[in-house]
Amino acid sequence: MTGTEEILSTQELHKRYGRITALNKVSLTIKKGQVFGLLGPNGSGKTTALGMILGVTNPTSGSYRWFGKDDQHEHRKNIGAILEKPNFYTAFNAQKNLEIAAHIKEAGVERIPSVLKQVGLFERKDDPFQTYSLGMKQRLAIASALLTDPDVLILDEPTNGLDPQGILEMRNLILEISRTGKTIILASHLLDEVQKVCSHFAVLKKGDLIYSGEVDASLGEFAYIEVGAEDLNRLEELIKVHPLYEAHKPLKGAFEIKLSKGAEPNEINTYFMKNDVVLSHLVMNKQSLEQQFLEILKEQQ
């Protein structure tokens, strides 16, 4: 369960490169314990946004605050991030690479065994990095980011290039880390991954923030319901005055209704029965995040 403590807030964060606007006055709030997905196609501004909140790139205008504070350097060690491909010494094993990373981060080495176990690499800790699969390399990078036991973990396209097994392992690892209470911010163009691992998400398109909300609430925001009855005229009359009615269209011998959040099949059936209409057809199709995402992008064109 997420808390109410503010971890990150951005205020009209803006970045221009000459005449190109990479990020356009984006304001977001991320709270403790959330798994927050920045969702959008390539070139939408996801990596630019991550670079700015990590201090790698300076904003053209706007600002951001970590943990409600203006002093960003004070909290840098409390944020673990992976923005690029894993970069380790190829001939060294995982243990040695993490020892070097701990030295650079001015962190102790005592957490190395625990983070290797957490990412599922403890049994391979003595094998050279060059023998690792891409998924194992990604997990070692996460282990490195966890060395300082940060409250926040930032991941840029964590499943990029992975095979289905690697994607599954990465997804499970992210969920496992989130259950420890850490806040996770990840950028992805993969709708399915955001739907399966994130609690909250924002949609970016060409630098613009076009949607933000909870994943669960968004998935149940509205449903398409197919209803049929012998008396189609009476059925259509009742559809139009339903309390959750938003739109409808005719099908062959039925209607497809768009209802707002909260509609359930048994409630729909009861509604028509109370109005003396017996349904011969009732099918509910909740819209997936992917469908909504594509609709959002289409609306913004």
Side-chain angles (χ1 to χ4, degrees), residues 262-273:
E264 295 296 336
N266 61 329
E267 295 170 346
I268 299 299
N269 193 44
T270 300
Y271 168 78
F272 287 108
M273 288 188 67

Side-chain angles (χ1 to χ4, degrees), residues 8 10-28 38-39 41 43-53 57-64 202-210:
L8 171 69
T10 69
Q11 297 81 38
E12 297 195 341
L13 207 55
H14 191 78
K15 183 63 178 179
R16 287 185 62 85
Y17 295 99
R19 292 181 296 176
I20 298 173
T21 299
L23 202 68
N24 187 25
K25 297 181 178 180
V26 170
S27 297
L28 286 172
L38 284 177
L39 179 61
S44 61
K46 304 185 302 295
T47 301
T48 299
L50 295 186
M52 283 193 285
I53 64 176
T57 305
N58 292 324
T60 303
S61 62
S63 61
Y64 62 93
V203 179
L204 293 174
K205 181 184 180 185
K206 296 181 180 178
D208 291 317
L209 175 66
I210 59 176

Side-chain angles (χ1 to χ4, degrees), residues 72-207:
Q72 307 309 323
H73 294 288
E74 177 187 349
H75 302 287
R76 193 58 52 85
K77 288 186 178 180
N78 210 13
I79 303 167
I82 305 171
L83 290 188
E84 299 175 349
K85 290 182 179 179
N87 187 19
F88 294 100
Y89 292 99
T90 59
F92 290 172
N93 60 31
Q95 175 73 29
K96 183 63 176 177
N97 270 301
L98 290 185
E99 288 174 2
I100 295 170
H103 176 72
I104 294 171
K105 296 171 185 283
E106 298 181 350
V109 298
E110 62 276 358
R111 279 182 51 80
I112 291 177
S114 64
V115 297
L116 282 171
K117 290 176 182 176
Q118 189 170 7
V119 302
L121 291 176
F122 187 76
E123 302 300 323
R124 296 289 303 273
K125 66 183 177 67
D126 296 320
D127 295 339
F129 179 76
Q130 61 193 6
T131 67
Y132 283 11
S133 66
L134 179 57
M136 294 169 67
K137 291 175 180 177
Q138 290 280 63
R139 284 185 277 140
L140 185 61
I142 291 178
S144 178
L146 293 172
L147 283 172
T148 59
D149 196 18
D151 286 336
V152 181
L153 186 62
I154 298 178
L155 307 170
D156 188 11
E157 301 282 0
T159 60
N160 220 14
L162 300 184
D163 60 21
Q165 181 61 32
I167 290 174
L168 178 60
E169 291 172 353
M170 182 60 65
R171 179 195 307 155
N172 290 337
L173 176 58
I174 292 170
L175 290 171
E176 180 185 326
I177 293 171
S178 73
R179 284 192 283 269
T180 67
K182 295 188 187 300
T183 303
I184 299 175
I185 304 171
L186 67 89
S188 180
H189 66 279
L190 298 175
L191 306 166
D192 186 55
E193 291 310 303
V194 169
Q195 183 171 338
K196 288 177 178 174
V197 304
C198 294
S199 60
H200 298 72
F201 75 111
V203 179
L204 293 174
K205 181 184 180 185
K206 296 181 180 178

